[in-house]
């Protein structure tokens, strides 16, 4: 049964270029360190086009199971460079708009 982590958050217009640069660094880091993200089956970043809060982004991470998600998060939390990227991310987004949901596949 697949597990999806869905994060939504807004980025202020003046921080969007910094956000795009940070997401590019994350992608490069994922490519350079495949063992760190080996349980991640897919990762997508979406920009909301209509409705809701302007400037909202949606990230969707797919894992095969909750156990795989936990393994990945445990490794990420021990990785200093990943945690620096994560801390920069937290400084760019509007924390009042952040939400995280976990979905499981039904069919």
């Amino acid at each position: 049964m697949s597990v999806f982590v869905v994060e939504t958050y807004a980025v202020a217009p003046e921080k969007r270029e910094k956000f795009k640069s940070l997401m590019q660094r994350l992608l490069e880091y994922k490519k350079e360190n495949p063992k760190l993200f080996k349980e991640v089956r897919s990762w997508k970043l979406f920009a909301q086009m209509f409705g809701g809060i302007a400037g909202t982004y949606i990230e969707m991470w797919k894992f095969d199971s909750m156990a795989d998600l936990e393994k990945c998060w445990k490794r990420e939390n021990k990785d200093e460079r990943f945690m620096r990227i994560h801390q920069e991310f937290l400084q760019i987004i509007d924390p009042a708009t952040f939400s995280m949901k976990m979905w499981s596949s039904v069919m």
Side-chain angles (χ1 to χ4, degrees):
M1 168 178 59
S2 296
V3 173
F4 297 86
V5 176
V6 181
E7 299 175 320
T8 60
Y9 47 84
V11 177
E14 65 272 11
K15 294 183 178 181
R16 287 192 188 138
E17 285 306 313
K18 189 173 181 181
F19 173 76
K20 288 178 186 175
S21 174
L22 183 64
M23 289 296 105
Q24 189 60 43
R25 281 182 33 220
L26 176 61
L27 283 175
E28 290 169 10
Y29 192 62
K30 283 180 67 184
K31 286 179 187 174
E32 293 168 4
N33 298 278
K35 289 182 181 179
L36 184 63
F37 302 94
K38 68 182 178 181
E39 291 87 5
V40 176
R41 294 297 159 237
S42 68
W43 175 78
K44 299 287 183 183
L45 176 64
F46 303 94
Q48 189 164 302
M49 295 179 60
F50 183 78
I53 299 170
T56 297
Y57 290 90
I58 298 101
E59 284 186 57
M60 187 175 292
W61 299 76
K62 180 181 180 184
F63 299 88
D64 285 337
S65 67
M66 192 64 139
D68 282 350
L69 165 69
E70 290 170 355
K71 283 183 213 172
C72 184
W73 279 5
K74 187 180 260 188
R75 251 193 332 278
E76 288 174 354
N77 286 327
K78 291 178 183 176
D79 186 272
E80 289 182 29
R81 190 166 162 209
F82 177 81
M83 291 309 294
R84 280 195 305 269
I85 291 171
H86 182 69
Q87 289 302 316
E88 282 184 60
F89 166 80
L90 293 175
Q91 298 299 312
I92 293 172
I93 67 165
D94 177 352
T97 65
F98 181 83
S99 75
M100 179 187 293
K101 300 167 188 78
M102 290 189 191
W103 301 345
S104 62
S105 59
V106 177
M107 296 180 152

